[in-house]
Amino acid sequence: MIYLEMNHVRKSFGDLEVLKDISLKVEEGEVLSIIGPSGSGKSTLLRCAAMLETMDGGDLTYLGEQAVTIQNGKSVYAKPAVLRKIQENFGMVFQSFHLFPHYDVMKNLCDAPIHVQKRNRAEVEAQAEELLQKMGLTGKEKAYPCQLSGGQCQRVAIARALMLNPKVLFFDEPTSALDPELTGEVLKVIKSLAEMNMTMVIVTHEMNFAREISNRVIFMDQGVIAVEGTPDEVFDSENARMQGFLGKFREK
Amino acid sequence: MKLSMILSQLSTGMAGTISIFVLTLVFSLPLGLLIAFGRMSKNRIVSGIFRLYISLMRGTPLMLQLMVVYFGPFYLFGMNIGKWRFPAIITGFALNYGAYFAEIYRSGIVSMDRGQYEAAKLLGYSKGQTFVRIILPQVVKRILPAITNEVITLVKDTSLAFSISYVEMFTIAKQIAAAKTTMVPFVAAGIFYYIFNFVVAWVMELLEKKFSYYH
């Protein structure tokens, strides 16, 4: 089943055209990585998919439900009530976590399920305990985000997103704010999600990681998809921009 | 005139001072939040109206505003303003302080990271829930020092009620001083305001400590 589909997506900020006719599909259980130089539009694409940015053109569909349709070449969004329903299909993990600093770890995880989804508290807390254990965060229930390391914060943020049982999980450069050691522990968690067949779209600068865990990779450059395919196809591509980009990474 | 006599006369005005202080806060703190929403409205007309309101309230003397609120109904509508004095003071103070508090709220709200809104949106919080559960608690922590400043100013501003002949503590101090040609009531009044503000600052510091469990 196709979980996420976007067609002909266009997005401009003022005169700057950030996305130029981008189409992509994500199937159930698939891990899609989006790589590319800064300013290529990766994050904007992800934020359009998550409806944090309004796209100018193109459509957006989750599990067959249309969130955005094209009418006369322009994007038309569904009614707010419909969008809110569709939004339950996905969650997002941000580069700088965006945990709620005034809530402890447990409340960060449980507040939305209890007060937004109106689920049973005991059941929600049991799920939270289980997730914290998986994330290696047992014992941190009562800690506040400011008492945690960046890696721990990001793992809490991943757990928080998983609490709502999303069908698709977006990652917007989840390790870019972390040092190499902390990056490792977050990537390990994402890898374990991939092993559980979680459907994920990951914008990342971790090339080895992208190559290892993805089913498919998209290389974006200047607002278009320059190369797309299996990790091997993309990383071994003859595309000049792709080679130039990878070359800079190998030099590091 | 003995000091104890002066103090007992002043104390009859303290109730007035304290009730102006308390009631002004009770009304202006929520009012300020509403004004802040109006000022931040996406509707240009609405935000323009509140911008003008804040500009007028901050740009003219509170003493003058009190007189307008008190005498206005008489001059405009010929109303009997006999029982209107105290309500007029609270109305005038609340309208004025609401404008200042609105700008303090606004400073706190616009300083919030956009990421907090985005995270809340993706977790399904409605706009109202986002504000009440996520944004406001953090805003309150950020603006407490600025609120403290304003509350301390309010303690001293209560003396402006004399401008429409309301008898609060400072009015009495002036009367005794004039009648008995002595500075003692002014010194006593000064000490009263200082102690009052000392307590206010202490309470606000406790509040700040209460919010210091995170940063």
Side-chain angles (χ1 to χ4, degrees):
Chain A
M1 182 174 188
I2 296 171
Y3 269 14
L4 163 64
E5 183 171 1
M6 301 173 91
N7 290 303
H8 309 296
V9 173
R10 285 184 291 106
K11 171 74 184 171
S12 299
F13 292 112
D15 290 335
L16 184 69
E17 203 177 4
V18 183
L19 301 176
K20 305 164 185 167
D21 191 26
I22 294 217
S23 302
L24 64 83
K25 270 185 202 152
V26 181
E27 305 249 1
E28 177 176 358
E30 193 176 29
V31 177
L32 170 69
S33 290
I34 307 176
I35 58 172
S38 299
S40 60
K42 319 180 286 297
S43 285
T44 306
L45 178 61
L46 198 69
R47 290 170 58 80
C48 281
M51 302 197 278
L52 290 173
E53 300 286 352
T54 318
M55 47 208 216
D56 303 325
D59 63 30
L60 173 64
T61 308
Y62 281 94
L63 292 95
E65 286 180 276
Q66 291 201 301
V68 186
T69 51
I70 306 180
Q71 282 169 30
N72 300 325
K74 284 196 171 159
S75 288
V76 178
Y77 279 75
K79 290 198 184 91
V82 177
L83 292 181
R84 249 190 118 167
K85 189 90 190 61
I86 290 175
Q87 198 187 275
E88 291 173 6
N89 288 312
F90 56 84
M92 184 140 171
V93 174
F94 299 87
Q95 181 178 338
S96 36
F97 331 133
H98 300 329
L99 292 176
F100 303 133
H102 57 307
Y103 286 168
D104 65 18
V105 167
M106 200 62 179
K107 192 141 197 227
N108 262 284
L109 264 59
C110 298
D111 195 67
I114 291 172
H115 292 100
V116 176
Q117 295 186 320
K118 312 276 180 208
R119 278 159 58 193
N120 173 279
R121 180 180 286 270
E123 173 218 333
V124 167
E125 286 178 348
Q127 185 193 357
E129 284 294 350
E130 193 185 325
L131 270 173
L132 286 177
Q133 197 193 340
K134 265 186 208 158
M135 301 284 157
L137 290 165
T138 309
K140 296 291 181 192
E141 290 84 352
K142 294 276 161 246
Y144 285 88
C146 59
Q147 298 166 321
L148 301 176
S149 73
Q152 290 171 328
C153 280
Q154 194 58 299
R155 283 181 282 150
V156 173
I158 294 171
R160 181 177 70 171
L162 289 172
M163 283 299 291
L164 300 173
N165 306 313
K167 295 275 199 303
V168 187
L169 198 50
F170 297 125
F171 291 85
D172 188 4
E173 300 195 21
T175 60
S176 294
L178 305 174
D179 70 31
E181 200 178 349
L182 299 179
T183 297
E185 62 186 52
V186 170
L187 295 185
K188 220 171 85 189
V189 165
I190 301 176
K191 210 177 286 177
S192 74
L193 293 178
E195 281 156 12
M196 288 153 57
N197 286 325
M198 182 80 207
T199 311
M200 296 187 279
V201 181
I202 307 169
V203 169
T204 183
H205 287 304
E206 297 291 329
M207 293 304 138
N208 294 330
F209 171 73
R211 185 162 193 166
E212 192 182 334
I213 93 158
S214 312
N215 302 104
R216 225 147 39 82
V217 176
I218 284 176
F219 171 67
M220 280 184 71
D221 188 35
Q222 294 175 9
V224 296
I225 294 176
V227 190
E228 180 177 5
T230 64
D232 288 342
E233 281 168 6
V234 172
F235 284 97
D236 298 336
S237 146
E238 299 296 314
N239 180 293
R241 275 300 289 135
M242 177 72 201
Q243 282 310 317
F245 177 66
L246 278 184
K248 282 194 194 100
F249 265 94
R250 288 193 188 113
E251 278 165 26
K252 270 191 198 167
Chain B
M1 198 173 186
K2 276 190 187 157
L3 185 64
S4 60
M5 285 276 287
I6 294 175
L7 287 180
S8 88
Q9 285 197 26
L10 285 181
S11 67
T12 58
M14 281 178 196
T17 300
I18 291 169
S19 45
I20 294 172
F21 173 78
V22 172
L23 287 172
T24 299
L25 285 184
V26 165
F27 290 110
S28 63
L29 282 170
L31 179 69
L33 196 54
L34 292 180
I35 299 170
F37 285 142
R39 169 74 175 74
M40 290 187 294
S41 166
K42 284 190 184 111
N43 184 319
R44 278 184 156 189
I45 299 168
V46 174
S47 78
I49 290 170
F50 283 94
R51 211 184 263 257
L52 177 69
Y53 173 82
I54 292 169
S55 166
L56 285 176
M57 284 297 158
R58 294 199 301 192
T60 58
L62 175 54
M63 197 191 288
L64 183 66
Q65 292 164 17
L66 288 173
M67 289 195 233
V68 169
V69 172
Y70 180 53
F71 295 113
F74 171 75
Y75 286 115
L76 289 175
F77 312 111
M79 273 166 56
N80 179 348
I81 53 173
K83 287 192 176 141
W84 173 236
R85 198 189 309 270
F86 187 71
I89 288 167
I90 301 304
T91 308
F93 270 95
L95 290 175
N96 179 278
Y97 272 79
Y100 282 95
F101 285 138
E103 286 297 274
I104 295 177
Y105 284 123
R106 192 170 70 87
S107 73
I109 291 169
V110 298
S111 78
M112 287 294 299
D113 181 9
R114 194 173 59 153
Q116 292 287 305
Y117 290 95
E118 292 184 345
K121 186 181 175 221
L122 277 156
L123 291 169
Y125 290 90
S126 68
K127 279 191 178 157
Q129 283 173 323
T130 303
F131 187 75
V132 173
R133 306 192 68 81
I134 311 297
I135 303 300
L136 190 60
Q138 298 183 57
V139 164
V140 170
K141 176 184 166 84
R142 287 184 192 197
I143 64 176
L144 266 179
I147 294 279
T148 304
N149 251 344
E150 213 51 48
V151 172
I152 284 174
T153 305
L154 172 62
V155 170
K156 294 175 286 181
D157 272 358
T158 53
S159 61
L160 286 172
F162 85 90
S163 60
I164 54 175
S165 313
Y166 178 74
V167 184
E168 43 65 64
M169 194 196 59
F170 197 68
T171 316
I172 297 174
K174 277 205 311 184
Q175 286 166 354
I176 303 172
K180 309 283 177 188
T181 52
T182 164
M183 290 296 283
V184 176
F186 287 141
V187 175
I191 292 171
F192 169 77
Y193 285 121
Y194 182 77
I195 292 172
F196 196 158
N197 271 328
F198 194 85
V199 174
V200 166
W202 176 71
V203 169
M204 295 304 280
E205 215 167 292
L206 281 186
L207 263 179
E208 272 185 52
K209 278 213 183 101
K210 213 175 163 269
F211 277 95
S212 68
Y213 66 90
Y214 75 90
H215 52 260

